[in-house]
Amino acid sequence: GQNIDQPTEMTATEGAIVQINCTYQTSGFNGLFWYQQHAGEAPTFLSYNVLDGLEEKGRFSSFLSRSKGYSYLLLKELQMKDSASYLCAVNPGNTGKLIFGQGTTLQVKP
Amino acid sequence: DADVTQTPRNRITKTGKRIMLECSQTKGHDRMYWYRQDPGLGLRLIYYSFDVKDINKGEISDGYSVSRQAQAKFSLSLESAIPNQTALYFCATSDPGQGASNQPQHFGDGTRLSIL
C-alpha cells in the first residue's frame, strides 16, 4: 500500500525555527514535494527532493533520506504569514501522479 | 489572470442533481488532474489525464466522470450528487516536458461544493 504520515498540527513562535516531518511507505519513489496551503486557497509548490540531503531555498529548507523513507521541511525565522498547512507528497513512479499526506497545520503565534 | 481557472468557485446543490465543475489552463501543460480535499484526509486523486486522448481513474473515481475537451480544458461531473461528495475540489496541471518526476503540479483556486 501507499502511506504518507505527517503530524496533524504544530504550533511555533514568531521568529523561531520549526521542523515538519514526513515519513512515507510507497511502492516506488521518484521524488518528494512540499506544498504550502493557506486556508481556503490553492496549494503552492515549495520544494522538491529526489536525492538524499538538504535543499535550501531562502527561509525554507527540505531534507530527504531515501533509506529511511523520511523527509522534513525546515522553516526559519518564522513569520505570522507562515501560518498554513504544509503538504508532503510523493511521486511513486515515473509519472506526474502524486500521493499526498494529510497535511500539517502550522500555527505561528506572536 | 490565473494560470489554472476553476468554475464555479462555490456551489450549493441538492442530492440527485447533476453537477459539472470546469477547469481551464493557460500554462500549455499536457497533464491535468482532479482532486478532492476533505478535512483530515488530505488531497485525493479522482481522475487524471496525460493528454486529450488519455483519461485515467485515480483512487476515488466512483461517482465521478471527466471529459478532456481540449488540452486546456478538463471537466469533472457528478452524475447524481450525494451529500458525502461535499468537499473542496481542486484541478491541477503539470508539464512532462523535462521529465515528469520533478515537475510540480500547479493548482487552481478550488471549488467549494456543498450537497444538501
Side-chain angles (χ1 to χ4, degrees):
Chain A
Q2 320 272 41
N3 193 48
I4 299 177
D5 285 320
Q6 307 178 231
T8 304
E9 295 179 340
M10 298 183 72
T11 302
T13 304
E14 190 176 17
I17 299 172
V18 70
Q19 177 175 310
I20 302 173
N21 295 326
C22 171
T23 58
Y24 63 89
Q25 291 177 303
T26 54
S27 56
F29 181 82
N30 209 9
L32 185 145
F33 295 82
W34 284 96
Y35 285 83
Q36 180 189 59
Q37 185 180 22
H38 286 100
E41 297 183 9
T44 55
F45 169 70
L46 287 178
S47 69
Y48 171 77
N49 295 72
V50 68
L51 299 177
D52 290 351
L54 190 67
E55 295 280 343
E56 296 187 78
K57 202 184 275 188
R59 293 189 299 114
F60 292 7
S61 303
S62 56
F63 171 83
L64 176 67
S65 169
R66 289 172 296 172
S67 63
K68 294 182 180 178
Y70 168 68
S71 174
Y72 67 72
L73 180 69
L74 193 71
L75 290 73
K76 302 176 185 176
E77 301 170 14
L78 280 172
Q79 302 175 8
M80 298 300 292
K81 68 178 182 179
D82 296 330
S83 293
S85 289
Y86 292 86
L87 313 180
C88 173
V90 171
N91 181 354
N94 197 24
T95 71
K97 282 177 56 181
L98 298 179
I99 300 169
F100 283 84
Q102 67 180 18
T104 299
T105 299
L106 173 66
Q107 184 179 19
V108 179
K109 295 185 173 180
Chain B
D1 287 341
D3 293 324
V4 183
T5 303
Q6 292 184 233
T7 56
R9 292 296 314 279
N10 293 280
R11 177 80 184 271
I12 301 173
T13 192
K14 294 182 179 179
T15 299
K17 294 290 188 182
R18 183 179 187 275
I19 302 158
M20 179 180 286
L21 308 184
E22 302 199 17
C23 177
S24 62
Q25 52 118 345
T26 58
K27 299 186 78 65
H29 290 170
D30 286 329
R31 300 183 173 196
M32 298 187 74
Y33 311 83
W34 274 106
Y35 292 92
R36 65 177 281 175
Q37 187 172 40
D38 300 274
L41 295 178
L43 285 162
R44 293 183 290 166
L45 184 63
I46 306 172
Y47 270 95
Y48 62 101
S49 169
F50 285 171
D51 64 40
V52 174
K53 296 181 181 179
D54 178 75
I55 303 287
N56 302 279
K57 292 182 178 181
E59 60 180 306
I60 53 163
S61 59
D62 287 350
Y64 300 94
S65 62
V66 290
S67 172
R68 185 80 184 267
Q69 301 95 323
Q71 186 205 39
K73 294 182 182 295
F74 192 37
S75 301
L76 176 72
S77 293
L78 289 69
E79 296 301 325
S80 179
I82 55 177
N84 75 1
Q85 291 177 312
T86 293
L88 183 55
Y89 289 83
F90 285 103
C91 173
T93 73
S94 68
D95 180 6
Q98 297 176 18
S101 63
N102 65 346
Q103 296 303 307
Q105 293 184 11
H106 302 266
F107 288 81
D109 288 334
T111 295
R112 189 168 296 279
L113 179 62
S114 296
I115 300 164
L116 307 178

